[in-house]
Amino acid sequence: MALSEDEQRILSEIEANLYETDPELAEEVRSTTVFRHGFRNLRRSVLGFIAGIVFMIFTLSTSFWLSFVGFLIMLASAMFFERNARLVGKAGLQQISRNPLSGAWRDDSGTPGQRMRDRFNRDQRGD
């Protein structure tokens, strides 16, 4: 449902007021996505899996039971990863791949060469 001109004006005034009164909050709201928490959990689960592997390898020569604890850490991390990957889903992966603030994936502006050509053409036009 499209907003009326009056509603768009009011929304623009609220946004401008937010940028004036609290620019840090406005920047955080602008850069935060719905899937941010899910991706944070995905990173944590990968780190937990790696920590479980390292723990398992170093304790294997000492004790079988300690290395089994490392395996359990790996298993729990893999299950946590799978659950959060399902929560994020395909829509989250598509959204994060389009986010220019994301360092993990390239944004929609193209290759670095294309961005450089666009910037050069913009400078030539005087924009």
Side-chain angles (χ1 to χ4, degrees):
M1 174 183 234
L3 298 175
S4 68
E5 289 182 25
D6 193 37
E7 291 170 331
Q8 287 178 351
R9 180 187 52 79
I10 291 170
L11 190 60
S12 296
E13 289 174 4
I14 292 171
E15 183 180 2
N17 190 18
L18 179 64
Y19 274 106
E20 289 175 10
T21 57
D22 197 354
E24 291 176 6
L25 175 65
E27 181 63 30
E28 183 177 338
V29 168
R30 187 184 68 78
S31 65
T32 302
T33 65
V34 176
F35 303 106
R36 187 174 194 175
H37 181 70
F39 282 110
R40 186 178 303 135
N41 284 340
L42 288 175
R43 280 187 297 233
R44 289 177 182 161
S45 63
V46 167
L47 290 175
F49 189 84
I50 292 171
I53 288 175
V54 170
F55 186 77
M56 184 178 69
I57 289 172
F58 282 121
T59 58
L60 192 58
S61 63
T62 307
S63 169
F64 170 76
W65 295 108
L66 282 176
S67 62
F68 185 69
V69 170
F71 171 75
L72 291 178
I73 292 171
M74 290 171 42
L75 181 64
S77 296
M79 292 172 63
F80 190 65
F81 181 88
E82 186 270 338
R83 185 177 58 163
N84 281 291
R86 284 182 186 261
L87 290 175
V88 168
K90 187 176 180 181
L93 292 174
Q94 289 173 348
Q95 181 179 359
I96 198 70
S97 66
R98 281 189 235 125
N99 186 357
L101 300 176
S102 167
W105 288 280
R106 190 179 66 200
D107 61 348
D108 287 338
S109 61
T111 62
Q114 181 64 39
R115 288 192 299 260
M116 191 181 320
R117 284 190 292 276
D118 291 344
R119 188 175 300 136
F120 179 75
N121 289 336
R122 194 176 33 205
D123 290 343
Q124 292 296 321
R125 288 190 309 256
D127 292 346

